Amino acid sequence: QVQLVESGGGLVQAGGSLRLSCEASGRTYAMAWFRQAPGKEREFVGGISWSGTTTSFADSVKGRFTISRDSGKNTVYLQMNSLKPEDTAVYFCAAGATNAVAVQPSRYLYWGQGTQVTVSS
């Protein structure tokens, strides 16, 4: 069983930046960030392979968000720049059972508790 703990959420003005962190209690394979806004389904934001050599992003965040990981610390980071009000959501970290970065939430075994990101206009 792997536990994931997110941190770094908060309130920021449009155009600002935040960095989310996700620390895993053990070794993980591919990891990803999802987000869920009120009344909407959970959606894929971005993911990274175990080696960190492969990343994937949703079209809505490409060019604004980046993902990196520190395997020595079992930690994944989501750097969010040029934030928009539509980025407001609860952001979840997820860990998969394979090294493939998938966009479907069902492909991930472990989930964090979520961290709120609010972008004001």
Side-chain angles (χ1 to χ4, degrees):
Q1 188 79 6
V2 175
Q3 293 184 333
L4 305 176
V5 179
E6 302 105 331
S7 61
L11 173 64
V12 64
Q13 289 188 332
S17 298
L18 281 175
R19 189 177 82 155
L20 306 183
S21 299
C22 173
E23 184 174 1
S25 61
R27 177 176 172 172
T28 58
Y29 294 96
M31 295 187 70
W33 289 93
F34 288 78
R35 66 187 181 187
Q36 188 166 18
K40 295 188 176 181
E41 293 186 351
R42 191 168 296 190
E43 65 173 359
F44 175 80
V45 174
I48 187 167
S49 62
W50 174 81
S51 64
T53 56
T54 301
T55 59
S56 178
F57 296 94
D59 289 342
S60 59
V61 306
K62 279 181 182 176
R64 300 189 297 123
F65 291 11
T66 58
I67 289 181
S68 60
R69 70 188 299 165
D70 183 337
S71 296
K73 296 182 179 179
N74 289 329
T75 301
V76 172
Y77 305 96
L78 180 67
Q79 178 66 43
M80 305 184 294
N81 299 325
S82 301
L83 283 161
K84 305 175 181 180
E86 50 264 42
D87 294 318
T88 295
V90 177
Y91 283 69
F92 296 90
C93 176
T98 70
N99 202 34
V101 177
V103 301
Q104 306 91 339
S106 60
R107 296 284 298 276
Y108 294 86
L109 288 180
Y110 306 108
W111 292 85
Q113 80 287 353
T115 185
Q116 177 70 46
V117 171
T118 303
V119 184
S120 62
S121 58

